[in-house]
PDB file of all heavy atoms in Angstrom:
ATOM      1  N   VAL A1245       6.706  11.748 -20.975  1.00 91.00           N
ATOM      2  CA  VAL A1245       6.504  12.787 -22.016  1.00 91.00           C
ATOM      3  C   VAL A1245       6.545  14.164 -21.493  1.00 91.00           C
ATOM      4  O   VAL A1245       7.370  15.026 -21.770  1.00 91.00           O
ATOM      5  CB  VAL A1245       5.274  12.568 -22.914  1.00 91.00           C
ATOM      6  CG1 VAL A1245       5.186  13.636 -23.989  1.00 91.00           C
ATOM      7  CG2 VAL A1245       5.259  11.147 -23.526  1.00 91.00           C
ATOM      8  N   TRP A1246       5.571  14.467 -20.585  1.00 92.00           N
ATOM      9  CA  TRP A1246       5.391  15.826 -20.027  1.00 92.00           C
ATOM     10  C   TRP A1246       6.526  16.194 -19.107  1.00 92.00           C
ATOM     11  O   TRP A1246       6.548  17.389 -18.625  1.00 92.00           O
ATOM     12  CB  TRP A1246       4.015  16.008 -19.371  1.00 92.00           C
ATOM     13  CG  TRP A1246       2.900  15.551 -20.320  1.00 92.00           C
ATOM     14  CD1 TRP A1246       2.128  14.438 -20.338  1.00 92.00           C
ATOM     15  CD2 TRP A1246       2.496  16.274 -21.580  1.00 92.00           C
ATOM     16  NE1 TRP A1246       1.284  14.382 -21.362  1.00 92.00           N
ATOM     17  CE2 TRP A1246       1.471  15.497 -22.102  1.00 92.00           C
ATOM     18  CE3 TRP A1246       2.863  17.489 -22.162  1.00 92.00           C
ATOM     19  CZ2 TRP A1246       0.823  15.977 -23.338  1.00 92.00           C
ATOM     20  CZ3 TRP A1246       2.270  17.898 -23.331  1.00 92.00           C
ATOM     21  CH2 TRP A1246       1.237  17.050 -23.887  1.00 92.00           C
ATOM     22  N   TRP A1247       7.320  15.339 -18.560  1.00 94.00           N
ATOM     23  CA  TRP A1247       8.386  15.632 -17.614  1.00 94.00           C
ATOM     24  C   TRP A1247       9.277  16.765 -18.043  1.00 94.00           C
ATOM     25  O   TRP A1247       9.851  17.548 -17.340  1.00 94.00           O
ATOM     26  CB  TRP A1247       9.158  14.397 -17.167  1.00 94.00           C
ATOM     27  CG  TRP A1247       9.984  13.877 -18.276  1.00 94.00           C
ATOM     28  CD1 TRP A1247       9.617  12.928 -19.226  1.00 94.00           C
ATOM     29  CD2 TRP A1247      11.360  14.118 -18.564  1.00 94.00           C
ATOM     30  NE1 TRP A1247      10.569  12.644 -20.059  1.00 94.00           N
ATOM     31  CE2 TRP A1247      11.740  13.398 -19.650  1.00 94.00           C
ATOM     32  CE3 TRP A1247      12.357  14.975 -17.905  1.00 94.00           C
ATOM     33  CZ2 TRP A1247      12.973  13.384 -20.194  1.00 94.00           C
ATOM     34  CZ3 TRP A1247      13.635  14.903 -18.392  1.00 94.00           C
ATOM     35  CH2 TRP A1247      13.908  14.206 -19.531  1.00 94.00           C
ATOM     36  N   ARG A1248       9.482  16.801 -19.452  1.00 92.00           N
ATOM     37  CA  ARG A1248      10.359  17.794 -20.026  1.00 92.00           C
ATOM     38  C   ARG A1248       9.951  19.223 -19.775  1.00 92.00           C
ATOM     39  O   ARG A1248      10.720  20.155 -19.930  1.00 92.00           O
ATOM     40  CB  ARG A1248      10.587  17.533 -21.486  1.00 92.00           C
ATOM     41  CG  ARG A1248      11.344  16.277 -21.776  1.00 92.00           C
ATOM     42  CD  ARG A1248      11.546  16.123 -23.262  1.00 92.00           C
ATOM     43  NE  ARG A1248      12.337  14.851 -23.635  1.00 92.00           N
ATOM     44  CZ  ARG A1248      13.719  14.851 -23.657  1.00 92.00           C
ATOM     45  NH1 ARG A1248      14.352  16.002 -23.412  1.00 92.00           N
ATOM     46  NH2 ARG A1248      14.240  13.757 -23.966  1.00 92.00           N
ATOM     47  N   GLY A1249       8.605  19.365 -19.460  1.00 94.00           N
ATOM     48  CA  GLY A1249       8.100  20.779 -19.319  1.00 94.00           C
ATOM     49  C   GLY A1249       8.384  21.357 -17.890  1.00 94.00           C
ATOM     50  O   GLY A1249       8.051  22.556 -17.748  1.00 94.00           O
ATOM     51  N   TYR A1250       8.786  20.529 -17.003  1.00 97.00           N
ATOM     52  CA  TYR A1250       9.018  20.998 -15.601  1.00 97.00           C
ATOM     53  C   TYR A1250      10.366  21.557 -15.398  1.00 97.00           C
ATOM     54  O   TYR A1250      11.390  20.960 -15.802  1.00 97.00           O
ATOM     55  CB  TYR A1250       8.626  19.869 -14.619  1.00 97.00           C
ATOM     56  CG  TYR A1250       7.217  19.434 -14.609  1.00 97.00           C
ATOM     57  CD1 TYR A1250       6.826  18.175 -15.104  1.00 97.00           C
ATOM     58  CD2 TYR A1250       6.181  20.340 -14.143  1.00 97.00           C
ATOM     59  CE1 TYR A1250       5.497  17.699 -15.167  1.00 97.00           C
ATOM     60  CE2 TYR A1250       4.864  19.900 -14.159  1.00 97.00           C
ATOM     61  CZ  TYR A1250       4.577  18.638 -14.668  1.00 97.00           C
ATOM     62  OH  TYR A1250       3.247  18.243 -14.769  1.00 97.00           O
ATOM     63  N   GLY A1251      10.450  22.567 -14.650  1.00 96.00           N
ATOM     64  CA  GLY A1251      11.754  23.152 -14.305  1.00 96.00           C
ATOM     65  C   GLY A1251      11.602  24.164 -13.182  1.00 96.00           C
ATOM     66  O   GLY A1251      10.574  24.544 -12.695  1.00 96.00           O
ATOM     67  N   HIS A1252      12.781  24.640 -12.688  1.00 95.00           N
ATOM     68  CA  HIS A1252      12.891  25.454 -11.623  1.00 95.00           C
ATOM     69  C   HIS A1252      14.122  26.352 -11.667  1.00 95.00           C
ATOM     70  O   HIS A1252      15.156  25.888 -12.121  1.00 95.00           O
ATOM     71  CB  HIS A1252      12.885  24.746 -10.243  1.00 95.00           C
ATOM     72  CG  HIS A1252      13.427  25.508  -9.070  1.00 95.00           C
ATOM     73  ND1 HIS A1252      14.751  25.196  -8.681  1.00 95.00           N
ATOM     74  CD2 HIS A1252      12.989  26.509  -8.299  1.00 95.00           C
ATOM     75  CE1 HIS A1252      14.982  26.018  -7.626  1.00 95.00           C
ATOM     76  NE2 HIS A1252      13.921  26.801  -7.389  1.00 95.00           N
ATOM     77  N   GLY A1253      14.072  27.631 -11.241  1.00 95.00           N
ATOM     78  CA  GLY A1253      15.182  28.504 -11.284  1.00 95.00           C
ATOM     79  C   GLY A1253      15.084  29.648 -10.271  1.00 95.00           C
ATOM     80  O   GLY A1253      13.978  29.820  -9.665  1.00 95.00           O
ATOM     81  N   VAL A1254      16.145  30.277  -9.995  1.00 95.00           N
ATOM     82  CA  VAL A1254      16.169  31.328  -8.979  1.00 95.00           C
ATOM     83  C   VAL A1254      17.154  32.420  -9.491  1.00 95.00           C
ATOM     84  O   VAL A1254      18.180  32.150 -10.037  1.00 95.00           O
ATOM     85  CB  VAL A1254      16.684  30.846  -7.678  1.00 95.00           C
ATOM     86  CG1 VAL A1254      16.865  31.954  -6.610  1.00 95.00           C
ATOM     87  CG2 VAL A1254      15.723  29.850  -7.084  1.00 95.00           C
ATOM     88  N   THR A1255      16.678  33.651  -9.303  1.00 94.00           N
ATOM     89  CA  THR A1255      17.608  34.856  -9.479  1.00 94.00           C
ATOM     90  C   THR A1255      17.675  35.615  -8.237  1.00 94.00           C
ATOM     91  O   THR A1255      17.112  35.174  -7.242  1.00 94.00           O
ATOM     92  CB  THR A1255      17.026  35.744 -10.596  1.00 94.00           C
ATOM     93  OG1 THR A1255      15.822  36.414 -10.218  1.00 94.00           O
ATOM     94  CG2 THR A1255      16.739  34.847 -11.939  1.00 94.00           C
ATOM     95  N   ASP A1256      18.350  36.717  -8.257  1.00 92.00           N
ATOM     96  CA  ASP A1256      18.433  37.602  -7.030  1.00 92.00           C
ATOM     97  C   ASP A1256      17.120  38.148  -6.684  1.00 92.00           C
ATOM     98  O   ASP A1256      16.957  38.558  -5.515  1.00 92.00           O
ATOM     99  CB  ASP A1256      19.471  38.628  -7.198  1.00 92.00           C
ATOM    100  CG  ASP A1256      20.889  38.225  -7.471  1.00 92.00           C
ATOM    101  OD1 ASP A1256      21.217  36.956  -6.961  1.00 92.00           O
ATOM    102  OD2 ASP A1256      21.777  38.836  -7.986  1.00 92.00           O
ATOM    103  N   ALA A1257      16.232  38.222  -7.601  1.00 92.00           N
ATOM    104  CA  ALA A1257      14.994  38.886  -7.272  1.00 92.00           C
ATOM    105  C   ALA A1257      13.741  37.992  -7.175  1.00 92.00           C
ATOM    106  O   ALA A1257      12.796  38.275  -6.354  1.00 92.00           O
ATOM    107  CB  ALA A1257      14.655  39.983  -8.399  1.00 92.00           C
ATOM    108  N   VAL A1258      13.654  36.805  -7.922  1.00 95.00           N
ATOM    109  CA  VAL A1258      12.478  36.025  -7.976  1.00 95.00           C
ATOM    110  C   VAL A1258      12.804  34.542  -7.929  1.00 95.00           C
ATOM    111  O   VAL A1258      13.849  34.097  -8.270  1.00 95.00           O
ATOM    112  CB  VAL A1258      11.680  36.274  -9.301  1.00 95.00           C
ATOM    113  CG1 VAL A1258      11.134  37.682  -9.273  1.00 95.00           C
ATOM    114  CG2 VAL A1258      12.555  36.064 -10.520  1.00 95.00           C
TER     115      VAL A1258
END
Side-chain angles (χ1 to χ4, degrees):
V1245 180
W1246 305 108
W1247 67 275
R1248 291 182 178 273
Y1250 294 112
H1252 156 259
V1254 173
T1255 69
D1256 293 338
V1258 292

